[in-house]
Amino acid sequence: MSDYMSSRFSSLTPYTPGEQPKDKKYIKLNTNENPYPPSQGVIDAIGSEQLESLNLYPDPTCSSLKKVLSEKLGVGQENIFCSNGSDEALDFAVMCFGEKGVVFPDITYGFYKVFCDYSGYSWSTIPLKEDFTIDPSDYCDLNKLIIIANPNAPSGLALSKDAIEEIVRTNSKGVVIVDEAYIDFGGESALPLINKYDNILITRTFSKSYSMAGGRVGYAVGNPALIADLLTIKYSTNPYNIDRLNLAAATQSIIDQEYYDKCTEKIKKTREKTKEELKKLGFEVIDTQTNFVFAKTDKVYGKDLYLRLKEKGILIRYFPGERTGEFIRVTVGTDPDMDSFIIAIKEILEEK
Ligand SMILES: *Cc1c(COP(=O)(O)O)cnc(C)c1O
């Protein structure tokens, strides 16, 4: 750290992104990216017309993207905030609504606490139940900012819309953020609640089900007053938060919905097959609704499985900790990727 770092940031522990090693070619099953490329339409949308306009700033209102999203979601454009990855929408939402304190499950997306620390807000966690599910009654009447990933990560488990509604209804003095990064792979969206309650904000991303992790585009949906607050932060920090090329790409990906629905169906099929294979090998597999599988075996610890798989050219994730240390989280790749993964797991178990 330099001598010049502002004191309010000097003790910040930043988020550690999943590893993106360059030493050799891995089968990458560690950061929940989509194994399929973007649609041909998206590749064409970042064509010479956009490239030749790179001298011009992008549209700060993101109107093309808001237009297709509002048609897809059946909400007004004033209900949508477009962001640089959903991480930015989550960060801004914590800045806007976290002053009275922030609450989220003890096992969830690791970035939430970093956003709170960065904003200087206090946060606390509520333990998941023994089976990794969320008990909605734990989150009632807190009247703080609540963040729930639905489906949750790394468990992959989802809450019903009714359970989310109970939390939103009983926290009228606090905002409830529902992080729907994985909603296209399963679970029930809370989207219908945004017209009924003024304290729910839903965040979504193009990184997973739209094959655009490299593009950094996400969005939030909610009451227009909440959206206006997010815009205040955006226009106070980075008005051109989505670049011209990725604005065009994300817009086209919504137009090409049919292609993405097909890819999502393939991933869900591969996921179910992978779950069955792991169960046959004696793994306990959580009933995931996402594009990753959370599973454990009593034969090899999570970190050891990670290390052995890495030697074999396959990257996955493990989560140190009392309740999660035995588990591995494996992104669902293509069928051949998952065949290689299962073969490697068999070899490792046989060596034991
Ligand atoms: C991947 C992910 C995000 C962030 O995605 P972006 O790439 O920033 O859009 C947010 N929440 C959860 C739970 C995620 O897994």
Side-chain angles (χ1 to χ4, degrees), residues 32 84-88 90 109 112 149 151 153 179 181-182 204-208 213 216-218:
N32 299 343
N84 189 292
S86 59
D87 285 339
E88 187 184 58
L90 288 162
Y109 187 40
Y112 302 148
D179 178 350
Y182 298 102
R204 292 198 181 164
T205 178
F206 286 81
S207 297
K208 276 94 190 208
R216 314 306 306 127
V217 185

Side-chain angles (χ1 to χ4, degrees), residues 95-235:
M95 284 187 209
C96 289
F97 313 121
E99 195 174 25
K100 284 187 286 183
V102 187
V103 181
F104 39 86
D106 62 339
I107 299 170
T108 189
Y109 187 40
F111 220 147
Y112 302 148
K113 57 173 175 286
V114 182
F115 294 138
C116 297
D117 288 343
Y118 172 74
S119 279
Y121 300 149
S122 66
W123 53 272
S124 58
T125 59
I126 295 177
L128 295 179
K129 291 197 286 187
E130 200 57 44
D131 60 359
F132 292 110
T133 56
I134 289 172
D135 184 346
S137 66
D138 288 344
Y139 295 83
C140 291
D141 301 305
L142 300 179
N143 292 310
K144 292 184 175 183
L145 174 62
I146 294 170
I147 313 179
I148 292 191
N150 195 39
N152 196 10
S155 70
L157 293 170
L159 275 182
S160 68
K161 177 165 71 66
D162 289 346
I164 297 285
E165 179 160 13
E166 188 190 345
I167 296 170
V168 174
R169 185 175 52 78
T170 57
N171 281 284
S172 57
K173 292 194 180 65
V175 170
V176 178
I177 299 174
V178 185
D179 178 350
E180 294 192 349
Y182 298 102
I183 197 69
D184 292 329
F185 301 104
E188 193 186 3
S189 176
L191 196 66
L193 301 180
I194 67 140
N195 293 320
K196 201 167 162 190
Y197 299 94
D198 61 9
N199 64 325
I200 177 170
L201 188 77
I202 294 170
T203 61
R204 292 198 181 164
T205 178
F206 286 81
S207 297
K208 276 94 190 208
S209 54
Y210 288 90
S211 297
M212 262 187 65
R216 314 306 306 127
V217 185
Y219 59 96
V221 192
N223 179 279
L226 298 181
I227 300 302
D229 294 339
L230 297 174
L231 287 168
T232 298
I233 304 289
K234 157 170 152 147
Y235 283 103

